[in-house]
């Protein structure tokens, strides 16, 4: 059962106030297990003593997500993007040293499982189901015919796009290995490798236009086609896109900004608790640098619980419904903010559904909307377009006035 916080029809202004206000406390906020877990853990001290032994092994272990201090909105946006890829990814905007990259890398331990191709060319069983046996490589066609599996269930991975990536690296190109065997084949690019994974694009505002366009097209369509001379191939690329940028270093073109679903302005730690929190961050980072393994172990139980919660939410998402009344509230906010892009409501509603799923509910409530509205809708307004439309309306009015003045005969 969903709680109805707004039983009566309200005015858009009232709705905006209610939904955008963080301080609204009249109604009890529903329990959110995962968020509570994160809140509780990021607020407490380190759960191990400094004397604990370190095995001394050099390992590539990301900083635990649950050990990140504060920055609740960034954490929630990342979790929502993991649960529902339809939100259209996340863009983290902020200066250097505010933990953006650390937070993205830390997601690796929270990722649910996904099918992974066993083939160099990334053939998947569903390729055969959709496009027939021709849709996979000869090796996989043979395997499929013999009833062998083309994919296994595996943990999702974080694929990081290098800043110097060329278009050819991103979409793929002629495979030199195959040329040796007198076969012209295409090599999978980073986008195809990112299928079913997370794709992290740091400094997205510094990438070339052609590379960013290719990434955004693939992210939107879930697939892309490469043509090189006589050969062409279509690759699946259903990934969760996470971008980050430092606005000091350059603007992001409006059409690219529009295509990112959730937007988080990462200011780092500030406000009342900043001194305390910054000291805690320093201590945790110090402990992590001394022994990453000990740090990861200290949070491993809670990490396992969080991973389970995310997996369950991901599976439950299909069943989460958005009541018409809540949808109308969302549309009222969008219209109140003069946002024109239809991507606004897709992101808002899909994020609200993910929020409900993370909370193990099957119905979206106004509270879900309130929780995700800022991250889904900020930085979407265009003062240029608002002025442009206002000007255009004047012209239309003049035009229709002149037309009505003309005699019929
Ligand atoms: Zn294959």
């Amino acid at each position: 059962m969903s709680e109805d916080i707004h039983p009566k029809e309200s005015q858009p202004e009232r709705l905006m106030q209610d939904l955008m206000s963080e301080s609204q406390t009249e109604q009890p906020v529903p329990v959110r297990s995962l968020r509570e877990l994160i809140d509780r853990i990021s607020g407490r001290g380190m759960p191990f003593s400094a004397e604990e032994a370190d095995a001394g092994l050099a390992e590539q272990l990301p900083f635990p997500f649950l050990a990140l201090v504060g920055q609740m909105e960034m954490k929630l946006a990342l979790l929502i993007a993991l649960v529902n890829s339809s939100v259209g990814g996340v863009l983290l905007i902020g200066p250097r040293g505010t933990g953006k990259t650390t937070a993205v890398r830390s997601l690796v331990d929270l990722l649910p499982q996904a099918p992974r191709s066993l083939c160099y060319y990334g053939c998947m069983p569903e390729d055969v189901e959709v496009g027939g046996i021709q849709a996979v490589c000869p090796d996989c066609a043979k395997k499929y015919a013999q009833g062998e599996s083309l994919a296994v269930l595996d943990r999702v991975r974080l694929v990081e796009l290098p800043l110097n990536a060329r278009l050819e690296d991103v979409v793929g190109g002629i495979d030199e290995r195959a040329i040796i065997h007198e076969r012209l084949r295409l090599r999978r690019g980073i986008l195809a490798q990112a299928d079913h994974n997370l794709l992290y694009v740091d400094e997205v505002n510094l990438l070339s236009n052609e590379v960013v366009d290719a990434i955004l097209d693939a992210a939107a369509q879930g697939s892309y086609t490469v043509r090189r001379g006589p050969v062409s191939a279509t690759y699946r690329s259903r990934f969760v896109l996470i971008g980050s940028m430092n606005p000091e270093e350059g603007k992001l073109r409006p059409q690219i900004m529009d295509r990112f679903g959730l937007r988080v302005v990462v200011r780092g730690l500030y406000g009342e608790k900043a001194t305390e929190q910054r000291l805690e961050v320093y201590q945790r980072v110090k402990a992590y640098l001394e022994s990453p393994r000990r740090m990861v172990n200290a949070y491993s139980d809670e990490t396992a619980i969080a991973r389970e919660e995310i997996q369950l939410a991901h599976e439950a998402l299909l069943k989460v419904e958005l009541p018409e009344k809540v949808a109308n509230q969302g549309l009222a906010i969008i219209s109140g903010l003069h946002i024109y892009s239809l991507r606004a409501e897709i992101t808002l509603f899909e994020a609200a559904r993910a929020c409900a799923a993370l909370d193990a509910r099957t119905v979206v409530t106004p509270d879900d909307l309130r929780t995700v509205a800022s991250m889904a809708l900020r930085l979407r307004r265009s003062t240029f377009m608002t002025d442009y439309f206002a000007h255009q309306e004047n012209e239309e009015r003049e035009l229709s006035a002149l037309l009505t003045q003309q005699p019929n005969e």
Side-chain angles (χ1 to χ4, degrees), residues 278-316:
R278 292 182 82 120
L279 189 61
E280 185 62 33
V281 171
Y282 164 71
Q283 279 160 352
R284 288 185 192 194
V285 170
K286 189 166 165 282
Y288 171 75
L289 292 175
E290 279 164 13
S291 170
R293 168 54 65 193
R294 194 178 59 190
M295 192 71 175
V296 168
N297 285 350
Y299 289 90
S300 64
D301 289 351
E302 286 94 349
T303 301
I305 295 170
R307 185 164 55 232
E308 177 85 355
E309 292 272 334
I310 291 164
Q311 177 85 58
L312 289 173
H314 186 67
E315 285 161 15

Side-chain angles (χ1 to χ4, degrees), residues 117-124 136-141 150 185:
S117 175
L118 292 166
C119 162
Y120 173 74
Y121 297 103
C123 307
M124 295 290 278
V136 294
C137 75
D139 288 349
C140 288
L150 306 187
R185 290 212 67 141

Side-chain angles (χ1 to χ4, degrees), residues 381-398:
R381 273 201 286 205
S382 161
T383 45
F384 175 85
M385 287 315 298
T386 304
D387 294 347
Y388 186 87
F389 286 143
H391 185 264
Q392 195 54 35
E393 269 166 35
N394 283 336
E395 191 183 41
E396 299 293 334
R397 257 196 303 276
E398 281 174 45

Side-chain angles (χ1 to χ4, degrees), residues 185-320:
R185 290 212 67 141
L186 293 173
R187 177 175 43 80
R188 299 172 78 210
I190 293 168
L191 291 178
Q193 290 163 25
D195 190 29
H196 283 304
N197 290 310
L198 272 158
L199 180 64
Y200 178 43
V201 186
D202 193 12
E203 310 211 62
V204 63
N205 51 335
L206 303 185
L207 286 171
S208 76
N209 289 348
E210 55 176 12
V211 165
V212 179
D213 283 337
I215 294 169
L216 289 165
D217 284 344
Q221 287 159 24
S223 68
Y224 67 98
T225 301
V226 185
R227 285 186 192 83
R228 291 286 181 273
V231 274
S232 78
T234 299
Y235 299 99
R236 288 169 182 276
S237 57
R238 295 148 297 180
F239 51 82
V240 175
L241 180 62
I242 302 173
S244 64
M245 62 173 275
N246 178 355
E248 285 176 310
E249 289 168 359
K251 273 186 143 185
L252 199 61
R253 285 181 295 151
Q255 75 265 37
I256 289 176
M257 180 64 110
D258 178 51
R259 294 172 71 174
F260 271 101
L262 302 174
R263 305 92 191 287
V264 181
V265 178
V266 186
R267 283 184 58 182
L269 300 171
Y270 63 98
E272 278 171 42
K273 289 187 194 159
T275 312
E276 201 183 310
Q277 286 184 329
R278 292 182 82 120
L279 189 61
E280 185 62 33
V281 171
Y282 164 71
Q283 279 160 352
R284 288 185 192 194
V285 170
K286 189 166 165 282
Y288 171 75
L289 292 175
E290 279 164 13
S291 170
R293 168 54 65 193
R294 194 178 59 190
M295 192 71 175
V296 168
N297 285 350
Y299 289 90
S300 64
D301 289 351
E302 286 94 349
T303 301
I305 295 170
R307 185 164 55 232
E308 177 85 355
E309 292 272 334
I310 291 164
Q311 177 85 58
L312 289 173
H314 186 67
E315 285 161 15
L317 189 69
L318 272 176
K319 294 183 219 116
V320 178

